Amino acid sequence: MLAALDIDGTLAQPGTTQIAPTVKTAVARFRADGHRVVLASGRSLVGVLPIAVELGLTDEWVIASNGAVTARLDSRVPRGYELEEVRNFDPGPVVRLARTILPGVRVGAERVGWGYDVTHLFPTGQLNGAQQIVSADSLGERSTTRLVLRGPGVDRLVGPVRATGLTALLTEPGWVDVTAPGLSKATALEKVRANLGVDPLRTLAIGDGENDLEMLRWAARGVAMGHASAVVRAAADEVTGTLDEHGAASALGAISATLMP
């Protein structure tokens, strides 16, 4: 099987790298049974890699930035990973649009493997990696995998950004992620699944956020965390426990107990 696991709200508290021992053990047992684990996160690659280390993943695939970045972990190479696919887009039109509608919007543009160029510093823990303050004009000149729009009222930007053809997700109040057209965790996962030769009917996904909706529908068995919104729970085939109840461990354990490798 291939298990696609969201990070924030599923494996760890948002913005942290600590994973409960129960969850670590469940992931290790699942892999020991011969199954594959793919981390699929809205975090940038810089934020995903510490979670992979926590889980002891050294030879799996990871998906970052809501499907914009796919990498193969490889402990033999200096960085510990090889980039498999990076989907960039021109952020200039979105930056100008966002600043016209919301002049005070805070903007960040991802630089894969490093951090973000930002118009204003984001509070500690909100972005993974380093931050470099640049002008809005220069930020819009460099292609990026992911643009972050942050501030009161940014939900108003979702419709206008989508009208440009780009993917826009309101991941939490006051936070919009923008990526290339037609991207989601599911689009990246499908490529990984095909590369690994896993049967589509042997796919599992566990998540809790609205950026997990496509992933939960993509999987043959979509599992929503118990604290997920009604929309997310409705998109899943089943609901497990909350993060505090180690719901991801319960879901993986149930599969390990019922499926042959």
Side-chain angles (χ1 to χ4, degrees):
M1 279 193 86
L2 184 159
L5 306 179
D6 170 51
I7 294 176
D8 292 304
T10 298
L11 299 180
Q13 291 289 348
T16 71
T17 58
Q18 287 74 46
I19 301 175
T22 302
V23 176
K24 290 184 185 179
T25 299
V27 171
R29 286 177 177 169
F30 187 80
R31 296 182 70 229
D33 285 342
H35 307 306
R36 306 301 298 264
V37 169
V38 177
L39 298 177
S41 178
R43 292 188 183 194
S44 61
L45 184 59
V46 173
V48 172
L49 293 176
I51 298 298
V53 171
E54 275 286 292
L55 292 173
L57 307 180
T58 58
D59 59 352
E60 295 283 12
W61 295 63
V62 296
I63 292 167
S65 303
N66 290 317
V69 178
T70 301
R72 288 178 290 113
L73 302 177
D74 188 342
S75 58
R76 300 168 298 179
V77 301
R79 295 182 301 181
Y81 66 88
E82 294 283 358
L83 291 173
E84 181 68 18
E85 184 175 32
V86 176
R87 293 284 303 279
N88 288 299
F89 69 98
D90 174 10
V94 175
V95 173
R96 291 188 290 272
L97 175 67
R99 287 171 61 83
T100 297
I101 298 174
L102 290 175
V105 66
R106 192 185 304 259
V107 185
E110 182 181 10
R111 291 166 58 183
V112 177
W114 182 82
Y116 288 81
D117 289 331
V118 297
T119 55
H120 306 79
L121 288 178
F122 282 62
T124 301
Q126 287 191 356
L127 294 179
N128 301 120
Q131 297 183 50
Q132 177 175 284
I133 297 177
V134 300
S135 69
D137 289 340
S138 61
L139 183 147
E141 292 172 355
R142 186 201 301 249
S143 65
T144 185
T145 47
R146 173 184 167 201
L147 199 68
V148 175
L149 306 174
R150 179 72 163 145
V154 295
D155 56 311
R156 294 166 48 199
L157 300 175
V158 173
V161 172
R162 287 177 177 170
T164 70
L166 294 170
T167 301
L169 289 171
L170 183 67
T171 59
E172 63 178 69
W175 187 293
V176 173
D177 277 349
V178 183
T179 52
L183 276 186
S184 70
K185 294 181 182 182
T187 60
L189 281 165
E190 178 57 21
K191 293 179 181 179
V192 172
R193 181 204 65 75
N195 187 288
L196 293 174
V198 175
D199 189 314
L201 296 178
R202 292 180 66 83
T203 53
L204 164 75
I206 308 176
D208 76 310
E210 294 198 15
N211 62 338
D212 296 317
L213 288 173
E214 291 88 350
M215 179 177 80
L216 294 173
R217 294 170 181 142
W218 162 83
R221 186 171 179 175
V223 181
M225 298 293 288
H227 58 271
S229 69
V231 172
V232 176
R233 295 198 306 271
D237 299 296
E238 59 190 82
V239 178
T240 186
T242 66
L243 178 63
D244 290 339
E245 295 167 341
H246 308 151
S250 300
L252 289 172
I255 290 171
S256 295
T258 59
L259 292 179
M260 294 295 292

